[in-house]
Amino acid sequence: MARVWLFPANIDTDQIVPGRYAPYMTSEAELGKYPFIEYRPEFAKTVQPGDLIVAGSNFGCGSSREYAPRALVAVGIAAIIAPSFSRIFFRNALNLGLPLFECDLQGILSDGQQVTYDNTSYIITTSEGAVTSLPQPPAWLQETWAEGGIVQYYRRHGRLPVGANR
Amino acid sequence: MDTSMHHPSAGQTLSELILSHAAGQQVHAGDLVIVPVDRCMTHDSLTPEIIDALEKNLGVNRIYDPERVAVVMDHVAPAASVQTANAQVRTRRWVAQQGIRHFYDVGAGVCHQVLIEERLVLPGQVAIGSDSHATSYGAIGAFGTGMGTGDLALILASGRTWLRVPETIRVQVVGRFRKNVSPKDISLYLCGMLGLDGATYQAVEFHGVDWLSLDGREVLAGMSTEIGAKVGIVPPSGEIASRYNVPEWLRVQPGAHYVRTIEVDLNTLGSQVAVPPEVDHIAPASELGDVKVDQVFVGTCTNGRLEDLHILAELLKGHKLAAGVRLLVIPASHRILQAAAEDGTLSILLAAGATLGTPGCGPCIGRHMGVIGADEVCLSTANRNFRGRMGDPNARIYLASPEVAAATALRGSISDPANL
């Protein structure tokens, strides 16, 4: 089972990892201790690999710091589901292989709810049996996530995974 | 035209035109493209992290094309600590080792200003920077945008990047500025109207400003990032058309599709102020009430150009700063500093009581040269007023034009320059 972590709109990168917890101030190995350390201290202490973040619009706004999504990868967040993401956060997450879904589940899932998330069919099933389908990602995106993000994809294939296909 | 009936052949926005040219095929909003990056810019703050991503994560030790890369030392320049000094040593060594010729060391100025002055970005090009205000390059009709560490490493490795062709919001400017109102007021007004995510993933195209100077266009383009925009482009007309060879294909097309058009009427626009802690908390300067300030900061890629220093000097000439107010002036580049020294602007500012800083980002990001303390209030011509941005989380940052900065420096509290 995965826990749903609900967040409001306009979560900024300072709320995700404050600047003074940047890896160059601490260390990369400790990064998993810091997501939401001031904004929501219980998060890093109780989050489990496979948990989901469900948020309001403009998630990840503010600075271009890549260690914000990297900290969420470090604790094993399986996906972030929000109506919209700040564009630099969106790119950073894709480069790191952290799945983002543009869809509004704020009124459908609640904070602390236990669900199962199938990361091949992109279906969320609550413990009561209610089923929600996330928007189906295109094939190139599924492939990119499977390879651990665009950076790893490039390392393996020597090219970017997306094409100018209409 | 009924926009729901839009057909690709009807016309393209400037973003669509530039990305079509770069991709070598006609593309439209929503398409994903891989394009060559004409100019890739990194600065001192992120270059060490980008080198790590390049070498450790991608296993690349030679960059794709050093000629297309520019590196600028501006965020903490000169170095403020042993840590930043060591990081800069590493960056300089890497620049030399990679054979990067376009390197601008301490004092050259803010990266975006330097790249435009040095003509390292040209109309119709794709320019990517490790800095969110890389939207500034839209001032000359380039597709400029900011990205994070991983993307910059991929560009350095491959010479290319992927982009989703953005939809475009058209801003139609009408009329001319009233006395002591300037481009920053258009930008802040748009922030208030659209909000922090009002243009996320989208482009903003500014029409009706063919008469606007390069300096003014840089304000509009750079500030577009504050409403979440991918790019902010001003059609390369007027001063830009006379200074650059604008490609034939880079022309506003009448049938282009805009998702929205917003009119800004300069006949009624007054001075705007962003109230902490968000850039979209906008109030007219005339309605702020009595806000006493400790520091006034004029500088940055937003409003540290010669035109801004001229405005400041004109309004401060023959006057002294209000008691208890510090005025910090940081020209956006060495060239601007030199020009302001030669034309007498600096003498006027110094006589009024201003303090000068080394060209660069200054205290905009709260790392050096004018950091503010708890409960202090700063009126800044920069671009962000988030909690803790310029120093202590309990300091308060108000954002406004150089005209408001001048009026505030003279009165000691945030003032509407219409009354000067």
Side-chain angles (χ1 to χ4, degrees), chain B residues 29-70:
Chain B
D31 291 345
L32 285 172
V33 295
I34 294 177
V35 292
V37 175
D38 298 300
R39 182 65 60 197
C40 165
M41 186 284 296
T42 74
H43 51 60
D44 57 314
S45 183
L46 283 182
T47 305
E49 201 179 301
I50 293 165
I51 300 170
D52 281 341
L54 191 65
E55 296 178 349
K56 293 176 188 163
N57 300 345
L58 286 171
V60 171
N61 292 311
R62 296 304 298 180
I63 60 174
Y64 177 78
D65 182 5
E67 195 51 36
R68 290 197 225 171
V69 178

Side-chain angles (χ1 to χ4, degrees), chain A residues 140 161-166, chain B residues 25 30-33:
Chain A
W140 70 265
V162 294
N165 303 313
R166 299 283 328 264
Chain B
Q25 67 181 92
D31 291 345
L32 285 172
V33 295

Side-chain angles (χ1 to χ4, degrees), chain A residues 1-3 5 43 47-54 69 71-81 93 96-101 115-120 122 124 134 145:
Chain A
M1 295 296 272
R3 184 199 195 279
W5 296 85
F43 179 88
V47 67
Q48 294 295 319
D51 282 0
L52 301 174
I53 290 177
V54 171
L72 299 174
V73 171
V75 297
I77 288 296
I80 308 176
I81 303 144
L96 294 165
L98 171 61
L100 306 184
F101 291 88
V115 300
T116 54
Y117 165 60
D118 182 333
N119 67 1
T120 53
Y122 311 103
I124 297 172
L134 295 174
W145 287 341

Side-chain angles (χ1 to χ4, degrees), chain A residues 11-146:
Chain A
I11 288 291
D12 66 54
T13 51
D14 270 295
Q15 288 167 326
I16 302 172
V17 182
R20 67 178 183 282
Y21 296 95
Y24 72 87
M25 309 287 284
T26 54
S27 84
E28 188 71 31
E30 286 177 54
L31 193 53
K33 285 162 47 181
Y34 302 134
F36 303 109
I37 186 159
E38 290 175 349
Y39 180 75
R40 199 168 174 183
E42 81 278 12
F43 179 88
K45 290 177 190 151
T46 53
V47 67
Q48 294 295 319
D51 282 0
L52 301 174
I53 290 177
V54 171
S57 61
N58 204 28
F59 188 89
C61 63
S63 87
S64 68
R65 65 186 62 155
E66 195 189 70
Y67 56 80
R70 218 155 65 217
L72 299 174
V73 171
V75 297
I77 288 296
I80 308 176
I81 303 144
S84 69
F85 295 87
S86 166
R87 54 164 290 272
I88 298 181
F89 184 91
F90 184 95
R91 294 189 71 101
N92 285 339
L94 188 46
N95 285 332
L96 294 165
L98 171 61
L100 306 184
F101 291 88
E102 287 179 307
C103 133
D104 190 353
L105 296 187
Q106 295 169 99
I108 294 170
L109 298 175
S110 55
D111 191 57
Q113 196 167 4
Q114 293 293 323
V115 300
T116 54
Y117 165 60
D118 182 333
N119 67 1
T120 53
S121 63
Y122 311 103
I123 287 172
I124 297 172
T125 311
T126 67
S127 50
E128 297 80 30
V131 171
T132 302
S133 290
L134 295 174
Q136 188 75 11
W140 70 265
L141 189 51
Q142 297 183 38
E143 191 188 348
T144 303
W145 287 341

